[in-house]
Structures are given as C-alpha cells and as structure tokens.
Amino acid sequence: MIADEHHLVRHGLRCLLDKEREIHVVHEAADGQDAIESVAWVRPDVVVMDVELPGIDGIEAAGRIRAAYSETRVVMLSKHSDPFLISNALSKGASGFVCLDSSIEELVLAIRTAYRGSIHRSRNHD
C-alpha cells in the first residue's frame, strides 16, 4: 500500500513498484487517517508512507498502524534525512526509512527487508 498526499507521487510509485516481481500495490491513501483506516480492511504486508501527511502525520500513523496491526510493516519516505526524524520513525514502529533522493532499487530493498521483518535505513543517509 502507498500513502502520500500527492496523487502524482502515488501514481509514480505504483508504476515503478508494479514492475517488481512479488510486489503488488493493493491500495493508495492520501492522508494519515485514510492510511490507518485502509490498513484495517486492506491488510497490506507493507505500507510505504510519506512522513509528511496531512492530518495525522506519517510517523504517528505508522505508530497507530503497528500498534493495531503488528503484522503490517511500514516503510517511511522523507525528503529529510535528519537523524532525529529517522530515529523517531523507527522508535514508533517503522521498519524502514528511505530518503526521497534514493533510487527505486533502494526502496524495493527497504520493502523486501521490512516484509522479512528486519529494519532498513536508507544507505544515502546512515
């Protein structure tokens, strides 16, 4: 599942991820509340979510999703590489953090790593 407020970003991510074997985008959400509610009925394995979402931000939404649906992993996307932001996201339950200037291969690696139950930090910003 993809959660980002920008339709163009969601569409672009969907097009890129749909080219990957074993990755299927099953739903899109435009804000934090929509993401939380959608996980309840879509039950995705992994949510790729922007940190900056309207209403409930991505980090808060990730925490709520992980608290209610521990089997769903969350990979955060952000244009910021602030170590505090990354630490905060991971402490709230995110399984990965990828900076938006990373490659699609980096995002795919993060999704696969999260799916396996491990933690992934963007290589560009350790």
Side-chain angles (χ1 to χ4, degrees):
M1 185 173 116
I2 299 168
D4 191 287
E5 71 178 299
H6 301 101
H7 174 75
L8 188 58
V9 172
R10 290 192 314 269
H11 179 74
L13 285 172
R14 178 185 281 271
C15 287
L16 291 168
L17 292 173
D18 279 345
K19 293 177 182 180
E20 296 296 321
R21 290 181 328 130
E22 302 173 356
I23 295 179
H24 308 285
V25 178
V26 295
H27 189 71
E28 296 177 15
D31 60 50
Q33 186 64 41
D34 185 21
I36 295 165
E37 292 172 3
S38 295
V39 167
W41 60 273
V42 175
R43 298 298 176 108
D45 294 317
V46 179
V47 178
V48 176
M49 185 169 358
D50 190 10
V51 167
E52 296 178 14
L53 291 175
I56 300 171
D57 70 46
I59 293 175
E60 179 65 27
R64 292 185 190 186
I65 288 168
R66 292 291 291 150
Y69 308 99
S70 61
E71 71 281 0
T72 298
R73 308 287 190 237
V74 180
V75 173
M76 303 302 303
L77 292 176
S78 180
K79 61 184 173 186
H80 304 289
S81 60
D82 175 31
F84 175 76
L85 181 67
I86 297 169
S87 177
N88 190 27
L90 296 175
S91 72
K92 289 279 187 161
S95 296
F97 194 99
V98 177
C99 295
L100 286 172
D101 63 352
S102 298
S103 67
I104 186 64
E105 291 83 12
E106 178 83 22
L107 178 58
V108 168
L109 177 61
I111 292 168
R112 289 189 169 133
T113 300
Y115 178 77
R116 290 191 308 267
S118 297
I119 302 294
H120 179 86
R121 286 178 172 223
S122 188
R123 283 187 231 149
N124 294 342
H125 304 284
D126 285 332

